[in-house]
Amino acid sequence: MLTRYTKLVPANSPLAMGMAVGCVAVATAVRLALTAVIGPTAPFITMFPAVLLAAVIGGLWPGLLAIVLSIVATWFFLFTPRMDFGPLSAADVTSVVFFMLGALLVVLVATSMRRAVERLGEAQEKLLAALDASSTGTWRWDIQRDIIEWDPAMANVFGLGLKKTPRNVEEFASLIHPEDRDYARTVIGDAIKNGKTIEYEFRAVLPEGEERWIYDRSRPVYDPEGKPLYMIGACLDITSRKKTEERQSLLIHELNHRVKNTLATVQSLAIQTMRSSPSPEAFQSNFMARLMALSATHDLLTQTYWESASLSEVIEAELRPHGGIDGLRIKARGDAVRLKPQQALSLGLAFHELATNATKYGALSSSQGQLSITWDLEADAAGKRQLLVHWHEQDGPPVAKPRRQGFGTRLIDRSIVHELGGAIEMDYASTGLECRMRVPLTSP
């Protein structure tokens, strides 16, 4: 209460000085009113409270001002009833001296107390700020009277106003998730019986229905006879930590799944490449090229923590070993599209095989050949998004449909059709190969 009051009246301010004058004026009026009852003795009887109040409210200088004004008022109204400043008796002088010494001591003590209260208030503000910044609150439960006291930071942890804080255990229990309520009661009951400090976690249900994870650490306090008096503790909002742990667990599970899929893909690439390679040297060359294509897409996904990859970046990464997209021989344009990890990996392998084929037999095998890659987004009959990719080669050597389907073609078909549920059309026109891919998309 005093701390709030001193905030309203800053120490040694003009307002504090004015209040000191007011205190002395009121004390003088009270003293004059009591003169008929107590007589002229003890002239400073009402001045000590005035000096004390002025020092407490305003600090050192208002307290000293109150001392001076008290002496002047007493001298003027009580020592010399004729309203002048005539000579005083020895007894009056003694009263003034003792009042000055006593009042000065009162002012010094009151000022020291005021400063201590101000420091305490500042410490409380810093503590509440620290608690609020760390999403922590403190509480106290009077076990005998079943009364709960919360600090303002505790109310913020549970998303409540100070007027809505629980007053007893039952009201507090209503804030706990129904599935955690019995557990919390059991832990608290065991702590009271055993007298040990406890740590436990539970879910709190906020007024808007939001759930928060709360970590609580508390201990009971007993009287000399071992009777539980109260329990004190602190609660910490650990919702962010819990979400991080859940996300980490999900990521580890997803990583295990992706590692297995990647190893299976590498194994399949190795086996199929070995079967289609005429010599160990050819196997090494073809397998390493496909492995590097897979690695390039992996690098892109790693930059976004395996959340998604840009289609244009996937195309650029797969064509970089073949000269890259220069805008002259190799052109690429289309809408901004984000791919899920599996979509990026499968399309990356498909682009690698098409680029390798173009370098060996198609448009990129001659200096006049050109390659154009375009893509668009459109909705299918069901209104779902799908990606249309057009791979068009021209001005290269004459193209003819191969007599048998090689591993590269089978890999493209497996990547687009079987893994992504899409469709592919290969047109071996004499002017150059055209490949049209249709891939269903969902938001990454």
Side-chain angles (χ1 to χ4, degrees), residues 95 143 148:
S95 296
I143 300 175
I148 291 180

Short mmCIF file of all heavy atoms in Angstrom, two decimals, residues 95 143 148:
data_model
loop_
_atom_site.label_atom_id
_atom_site.label_comp_id
_atom_site.label_asym_id
_atom_site.label_seq_id
_atom_site.Cartn_x
_atom_site.Cartn_y
_atom_site.Cartn_z
N SER A 95 11.43 22.79 25.27
CA SER A 95 10.46 22.01 24.47
C SER A 95 10.82 22.04 23.00
O SER A 95 10.75 21.03 22.29
CB SER A 95 9.04 22.57 24.67
OG SER A 95 8.62 22.42 26.00
N ILE A 143 -3.13 -24.30 3.70
CA ILE A 143 -3.79 -25.61 3.77
C ILE A 143 -4.91 -25.63 4.78
O ILE A 143 -5.99 -26.21 4.53
CB ILE A 143 -2.75 -26.71 4.10
CG1 ILE A 143 -1.67 -26.74 3.01
CG2 ILE A 143 -3.42 -28.08 4.23
CD1 ILE A 143 -0.53 -27.69 3.30
N ILE A 148 -5.91 -19.86 -1.60
CA ILE A 148 -4.80 -19.80 -2.55
C ILE A 148 -4.51 -18.34 -2.89
O ILE A 148 -5.43 -17.57 -3.15
CB ILE A 148 -5.12 -20.59 -3.83
CG1 ILE A 148 -5.17 -22.10 -3.53
CG2 ILE A 148 -4.08 -20.33 -4.91
CD1 ILE A 148 -5.48 -22.96 -4.73
#
